[in-house]
């Protein structure tokens, strides 16, 4: 019953009185039991309490978890580094680690992580991919009706293995849901990442029509008031590449500026991605 103890810590650290947090939610005796870890409360009441504490659920869980980020972000950071650097040894290491976690916990995400590492290692090595492993990801994403951030990230990182038809189908099915979640900042960031990666898929296929469609989707995903240099730079980059595909004159000066910018921002992975296309 650590929840109440953490709530008490946050309330006192914000110099809030009990009445500021618990009015019309918990009685005075219930507050005492809750904050001393002797009782728990309902999820609905906890949401109300967090609102009165002026704290998001993510922030609360971060404090509850002793100021540690969930391992999911660690996995994808390590996975992305291994993928872009073609580090097969690291991919196999991550595969073994997540396989072991899956056997111990039965958490389906650990199975997905293991499969993702296996598929990526085959992809990098130009070896046939394990179709049973691919089916694990296909089936999960196709059958999942309520996509959350997890499914979005999983889809983004699985694009290299999916056929074009499946990519289009999954995007069509999830587009409305992604719009519903657009108020959440981290969703906007991941949607931009997803659309950027889908664009790369169709640029590689030299499919101008689909590139134009997803470029327009990408533009719509960026807020008019968004001043993110990275997103605006990538938009310029994709615009230039689509221009090449439509037989327009290559604006090499703009491409060079993008590469220089990624170098200045110490983003070697993105710089490498640009070089691959030019």
């Amino acid at each position: 019953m650590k929840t109440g103890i953490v709530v008490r810590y946050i309330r006192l650290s914000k110099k809030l009185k009990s009445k500021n947090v618990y009015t019309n939610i918990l009685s005075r005796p219930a507050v005492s039991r809750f904050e001393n870890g002797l009782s728990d409360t309902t999820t609905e009441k906890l949401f109300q309490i967090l609102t009165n504490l002026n704290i998001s659920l993510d922030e609360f869980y971060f404090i509850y978890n002793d100021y540690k980020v969930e391992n999911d972000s660690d996995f994808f950071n390590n996975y992305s580094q291994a993928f872009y650097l073609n580090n097969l040894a690291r991919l196999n290491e991550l595969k073994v680690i997540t396989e072991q976690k899956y056997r111990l916990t039965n958490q389906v995400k650990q199975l997905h992580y293991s499969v993702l590492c296996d598929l990526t290692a085959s992809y990098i090595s130009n070896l046939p991919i394990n179709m049973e492993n691919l089916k694990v990801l296909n089936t999960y994403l196709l059958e999942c009706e309520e996509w959350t951030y997890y499914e979005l990230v999983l889809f983004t990182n699985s694009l290299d293995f999916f056929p074009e038809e499946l990519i289009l189908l999954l995007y069509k099915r999830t587009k409305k849901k992604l719009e519903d979640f657009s108020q959440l900042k981290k969703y906007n960031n991941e949607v931009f990442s997803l659309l950027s990666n889908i664009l790369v898929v169709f640029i590689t296929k030299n499919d101008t029509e689909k590139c134009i469609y997803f470029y327009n989707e990408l533009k719509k995903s960026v807020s008019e008031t968004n001043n993110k240099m990275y997103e605006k730079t990538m938009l310029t980059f994709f615009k230039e590449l689509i221009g090449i595909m439509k037989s327009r004159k290559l604006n090499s000066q703009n491409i060079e500026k993008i590469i220089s910018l990624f170098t200045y921002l110490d983003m070697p992975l993105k710089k490498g991605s640009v070089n691959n296309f030019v």
Side-chain angles (χ1 to χ4, degrees), residues 35-176:
E35 289 199 345
N36 284 291
L38 302 176
S39 67
D40 224 324
T41 188
T42 66
T43 303
E44 184 176 353
K45 288 182 178 179
L46 178 61
F47 288 159
Q48 295 173 354
I49 290 168
L50 295 184
T51 297
N52 291 342
L53 284 171
N54 305 315
I55 189 171
S56 69
L57 185 59
D58 281 350
E59 290 172 318
F60 174 78
Y61 186 71
F62 181 62
I63 297 172
Y64 180 91
N65 203 37
D66 297 325
Y67 296 91
K68 295 176 184 176
V69 178
E70 279 282 77
N71 289 333
D72 288 7
S73 59
D74 290 339
F75 168 79
F76 280 112
N77 286 337
N78 290 327
Y79 166 79
S80 295
Q81 288 282 343
F83 171 69
Y84 282 112
L85 297 176
N86 292 342
N87 190 336
L88 291 173
R90 182 56 174 152
L91 284 170
N92 287 324
E93 181 184 353
L94 290 171
K95 175 188 173 184
V96 171
I97 291 172
T98 51
E99 279 179 344
Q100 291 173 343
K101 287 182 178 179
Y102 177 63
R103 286 196 294 268
L104 288 172
T105 66
N106 279 322
Q107 287 183 326
V108 72
K109 67 180 179 182
Q110 300 300 338
L111 173 61
H112 295 159
Y113 295 162
S114 175
V115 164
L116 190 60
C117 290
D118 178 74
L119 293 171
T120 303
S122 297
Y123 176 79
I124 290 174
S125 304
N126 291 316
L127 295 173
I129 63 174
N130 185 317
M131 297 307 294
E132 287 300 314
N133 279 344
L134 182 59
K135 187 177 178 181
V136 170
L137 299 184
N138 287 358
T139 302
Y140 178 80
L141 290 175
L142 283 170
E143 292 182 351
C144 185
E145 296 180 3
E146 181 66 34
W147 275 36
T148 59
Y149 186 73
Y150 172 77
E151 286 75 29
L152 181 57
V153 174
L154 185 63
F155 181 33
T156 300
N157 285 278
S158 304
L159 289 171
D160 286 323
F161 321 118
F162 289 165
E164 176 183 326
E165 297 77 14
L166 183 60
I167 292 174
L168 296 172
L169 174 62
L170 287 172
Y171 181 72
K172 181 179 179 181
R173 286 180 52 179
T174 59
K175 181 178 177 180
K176 179 61 171 66

